[in-house]
Amino acid sequence: MSEPEDLTPDAELAEAEADPEATRIVDPAAVAADLADPEAVAEVVAPHRDIATGEGEKLLEVSGLSVEFGGLAALDDVTFDIKRGEILGLIGPNGAGKTTCFNAITGVYRPSAGTVRFDGAPLGRIKQHKITRLGIARTFQNVRLWGEMTALENVCVGTDARHKTSVFGGIFRTPRHYREEHDAVDRGMALLEFVGIAPRAAEKASNLPYGDQRRLEIARALATEPKLLCLDEPAAGFNPSEKTALMGLIQKIREDGYTVLLIEHDMRLVMGVTDRIVVLEFGRKIAEGTPSEIRDNPAVIAAYLGVPDDDTA
């Protein structure tokens, strides 16, 4: 999808004068009625960003990643990769370093050692918002929404990562500003339909049931048009039926062309949706493989069940 060229302030004003209709006020309720149609939703939700990495090739490469806090190693020489188009599970007991790994990949923490390459380029010390623009989006272990904003407004915030309106354009509400607002509303409603909570678009996020808040976080992350979607324990607090529905949503997200990195404690969910699994324990990688390989791995069984080390030697 091509983006409009940047306009100078004078050009933006000239465009506004030439097309007053282009600056009509956005009415969040006046969204395209056909967005409820599955094919229309799929068209709006599908990623449109150029990705240098080919299908099945390495999209993210983590090499020798270490993170220390006050001399304590939270991650110790962790290496793995994520291939474009797959769902990779990152699992381990509490305190294994899973969320620390997420935070190091997404720029929240600075690695003490090691490198992260994404879509062929090193991330280095890039700031968090630039990592988002490069194409990595995430949800959080604890729900983080703007509670006083509606569900639709929360998703529209995510779409802003791809908007090109200048400060000048925002102040003077130029045609580009209005086009991007309309696009945000249409795309936001499509994403809410996609995750199954479109009827709650006008409700405050703080008033949504917990499960719908989790789905809203996923919709907001998808609104940034990520190449890689990182989900940090998305099933936390879910009942069995909600977990089953979430499995279906994650699979649908992958089918729409997204690559997924998943942290999750629920082994049924992990084994049911992932293509490969990486296992951490005390900040180190102890296993990597397919779900069936991980299920039968003695080191993994020991990490979760406390089998004595002598039994796995």
Side-chain angles (χ1 to χ4, degrees), residues 19-63:
D19 185 12
E21 177 62 18
T23 59
R24 65 190 185 280
I25 299 297
V26 176
D27 179 5
V31 297
D34 63 352
L35 287 182
D37 177 75
E39 292 185 3
V41 171
E43 174 62 26
V44 176
V45 172
H48 297 286
R49 304 200 59 219
D50 291 332
I51 303 177
T53 304
E55 193 76 23
E57 298 178 358
K58 295 177 182 179
L59 177 64
L60 181 84
E61 298 176 73
V62 176
S63 179

